[in-house]
DNA sequence: GATGAATGAGGGTTCATTCAT
DNA sequence: AATGAATGAACCCTCATTCAT
């Protein structure tokens, strides 16, 4: 799987919904549009308040006026990027098939996929994570318009999970949640680590193996 | 256990380290110092960027100049408050004794304690939580100067945990982590809920029972 | 008398002076030229500063570039419209014949005519009125380039008025001025009213009668 | 009567209502406050939209921040100045006594007074006139909060006028209106003149005499 | 210590005008 | 002729920080 860093963003336009596709900026010539979106995402990763439209236009190499010609307001730009990120990442997740009904299997596949997507779309994925925080801080009450695709998928997997696999003496709902939280906790740990260790790519194999071990443990402990 | 809302903050000065105690503002007359700290904490709970020094001075009833006389910059004020909160809350945690070496017992006690401390020091605890987020956003890379007392204690409990209680066929390190993440995941869920349900105090009992159930499940699944 | 609202503007091109006729925009195909002029007038009625060239081009269905291709600057566009309105309205006034030399008769006829022209050319007349204000505000000192056709006609009627109709004990120049100012004052009152009462068309008859009463009073008081 | 040009504004603070007196800016040291108010008035005479806060602060010799420290928004500044002008000019008018019930006498006195006040407070009077126009354009619907002191006084004089002085064969209401409009028309003419002839002070005597002649004529024509 | 008036760089936004196509 | 993307100076406003008193 390729890494989509700061270029080739537009190879994923097919994931976008009509609303985003119809946006003024989407009719801009590819290279420039990409420059704008990337510059804006990079800036907004700092958080909404920390992001400066001045920096964005400088980094995108366009004029102040043009940015506002496309987006009207800073807020609209942010919302656009957020929706855009949701759809790119959501599209990737939707493209994946989770045939099994074994929750541990699925959650393991999901983890592998998540890690691949973080590598494939570091910028977009980064914005997605950061934007949910910004939203809470700056636009509380407007978050409901946006659906976190990862959480959505987790929820779906949870619902579809085969409860009969769980030991009879354990509450299956709780057992499943524990599996989920274990993965979440492990990921959070990685994120914390990732912030300090700039490049933890070399550790990937070990990390993946370790998560596998956690899931194996849970399977031994919670499954029949 | 008493509730320490917006007064009586100074009853906990004995928790403070020398560095904080030596701070310029600590020599201010008690009542005024408390007003300043409380006002500042209330404001910073909104997040660093959303906090206005103007609001702080108005709400503390002091002049703009005085605030900067004591703290030099907004950042220094924020760092002071953060350290202050860490030491108050850290002091409380340190005052508690965790005699057992059963990790589940300890983590349960820790949860009970956490909930009591949130009630006792709503302001200080609130700032603590919010400040870790602000830090990440506004001063990335300076967080290492601050030790989250809750995490510290968890770490200690983890280290001291009696591994022999864990089923022999399970990796005890991983099992303990799973217990930890389950509690974390449960708490995060509550926080998410708490943001929506303004006042979830009436649900405390149910919540506590539910967490207990999770831990019981884990005991059944992971312990000998 | 027909109402010339937002179409048929060009039926009055014969009123236009050579300068206007020679203007770049006048060689544009009729229908489009009309769209441009009407859109621009509608917008400038709001006042020069409140008028947006963006709105004009959207409402005229032309491109931004084309507008500036024809008019160079917003100011030139405004001047063009102003002159255009002066000539249309001025043409109408000039087409009227004031045979009498009785000033009161003439001023009464003038009032009737004014009201008919306001109905016939609501847009052009509206712009004319609004533009004189805008000028004062935005281009003070350039107003002398434009002659208000109504004032011009009043002046002419004033000059031609038969002084011998005025009572011998009164200064005829002053008496005539008083007649003029009475009509002006009455009209101003109506305008003030008109701003509040959105549609005072139903009151026309009463209004006309009342003005007649004022003029009768003046005739009784000032004439032999 | 002295001329209050661009200094000595504050000699008239006693005319101000409590609301204005309580305004933040009124506690500024006299000389600076005057500089601010004068600079702002001079700028706003151009009209609200044409006025730039940048120009005001430069001309007042203060920083951008300070202006907004006092007034919050451009609009609030404008409203303040408007109210201020109304109260200064209104105060002057209220200080005058109109004992007679002869409308012509009163309106003559009023004209003399108006002319003196225009000379005494050229800036404040100028703003007052200009502000009523700006209001209509920019804040339609908020004008009702402000009472034009001149119109108010005219209305009062009109109401109190002794109708029995008017010729029995004339409608006294209309006759009085004609007197009013004559003065208004004459003043408007002067204003138009004044705009062109920068300094029409040398003509004052002639002007005053001429208005007197108009009123004498009206007395001859309309009174018993 | 204590005040709060004063600063000014930076923020987001608007809009007449230009210019490559 | 015709387009509309692109410009950038100017706009109003904010706010942490300073400093004379």
């Amino acid at each position: 799987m390729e890494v989509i860093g700061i270029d080739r963003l537009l190879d994923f336009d097919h994931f976008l919904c009509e609303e985003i596709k119809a946006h003024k900026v989407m009719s801009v010539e590819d290279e420039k549009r990409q420059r704008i979106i990337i510059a804006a995402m990079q800036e907004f990763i700092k958080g909404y308040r920390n992001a400066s439209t001045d920096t964005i236009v400088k980094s995108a190499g366009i004029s102040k006026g043009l940015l506002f010609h496309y987006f009207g307001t800073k807020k609209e730009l942010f919302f656009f990027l957020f929706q855009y990120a949701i759809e790119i990442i959501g599209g990737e997740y939707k493209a994946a098939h989770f045939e099994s009904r074994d929750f541990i299997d699925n959650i393991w596949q999901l983890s592998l996929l998540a890690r691949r997507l973080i590598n494939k779309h570091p910028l977009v994925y980064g914005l997605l994570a950061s934007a949910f925080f910004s939203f809470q801080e700056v636009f509380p009450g407007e978050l409901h318009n946006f659906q976190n695709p990862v959480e959505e998928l987790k929820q779906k997997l949870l619902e579809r999970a085969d409860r009969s696999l769980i030991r009879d003496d354990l509450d299956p709902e709780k057992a499943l949640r524990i599996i989920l939280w274990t993965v979440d906790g492990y990921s959070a740990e990685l994120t914390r680590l990732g912030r300090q260790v700039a490049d933890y790519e070399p550790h990937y194999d070990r990390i993946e193996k370790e998560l596998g071990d956690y899931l194996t443990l849970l399977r031994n402990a919670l499954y029949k």
Side-chain angles (χ1 to χ4, degrees), chain A:
Chain A
M1 190 178 271
E2 230 175 324
V3 173
I4 309 302
I6 55 167
D7 54 359
R8 310 278 312 284
L9 208 54
L10 12 113
D11 294 353
F12 298 90
D13 283 1
H14 58 278
F15 281 144
L16 302 175
C17 71
E18 293 313 311
E19 195 194 333
I20 288 288
K21 271 185 190 160
H23 195 281
K24 233 178 191 176
V25 83
M26 296 308 285
S27 54
V28 176
E29 167 245 336
D30 283 355
E31 196 269 333
K32 179 191 273 192
R33 182 176 93 232
Q34 186 154 274
R35 256 167 39 222
I36 295 173
I37 293 178
I38 287 173
M41 283 191 170
Q42 282 173 333
E43 187 64 10
F44 274 114
I45 281 186
K46 301 187 198 171
Y48 185 83
R49 303 283 294 250
N50 294 320
S52 153
T53 54
D54 248 34
T55 308
I56 292 172
V57 299
K58 266 169 208 151
S59 145
I62 60 168
S63 73
K64 210 85 191 288
L66 193 55
L67 188 72
F68 284 90
H69 172 67
Y70 291 135
F71 296 104
T73 65
K74 185 186 183 184
K75 182 178 171 180
E76 195 199 319
L77 167 58
F78 181 60
F79 277 41
F80 171 86
L81 295 174
F82 196 14
Q83 189 64 44
Y84 187 100
I86 283 175
E87 282 167 24
I88 295 286
I89 302 301
E92 295 276 15
Y93 276 113
K94 272 175 200 125
H97 294 288
F98 293 84
E99 310 278 343
S100 166
R101 292 193 57 220
D102 180 335
F103 189 62
I104 289 185
D105 274 359
N106 281 337
I107 218 77
W108 166 248
Q109 292 303 328
L110 183 60
S111 293
L112 296 184
L113 176 54
R115 205 148 307 128
R116 275 154 60 209
L117 292 180
I118 289 173
N119 286 330
K120 189 177 175 193
H121 304 279
L123 184 62
V124 181
Y125 219 108
L127 178 77
L128 199 60
S130 143
F132 275 102
F133 281 115
S134 277
F135 245 88
Q136 230 127 259
E137 197 174 303
V138 192
F139 309 110
E142 296 192 65
L143 191 56
H144 62 273
N145 299 319
F146 300 89
Q147 270 290 347
N148 187 331
V150 191
E151 295 307 318
E152 218 175 346
L153 184 47
K154 278 182 187 166
Q155 205 54 43
K156 216 181 76 191
L157 296 180
L158 203 54
E159 283 164 15
R160 277 197 4 204
D162 182 355
R163 268 74 178 159
S164 72
L165 298 173
I166 305 293
R167 273 166 49 179
D168 291 330
D169 62 326
L170 304 179
D171 176 348
E173 302 310 322
K174 291 196 167 52
L176 293 172
R177 285 249 161 233
I178 286 171
I179 295 166
L180 199 54
W181 289 335
T182 296
V183 179
D184 287 349
Y186 185 72
S187 302
E189 206 88 334
L190 286 187
T191 307
R192 229 166 300 159
L193 179 73
R195 227 178 272 118
Q196 288 153 21
V197 182
D199 187 9
Y200 61 130
E201 209 178 318
H203 305 291
Y204 275 153
D205 288 348
R206 187 178 55 68
I207 283 167
E208 232 159 61
K209 178 176 172 319
E210 197 172 16
L211 178 57
D213 291 345
Y214 273 107
L215 291 176
T216 303
L217 189 157
L218 285 171
R219 186 183 296 274
N220 290 338
L222 303 176
Y223 274 33
K224 280 174 187 163

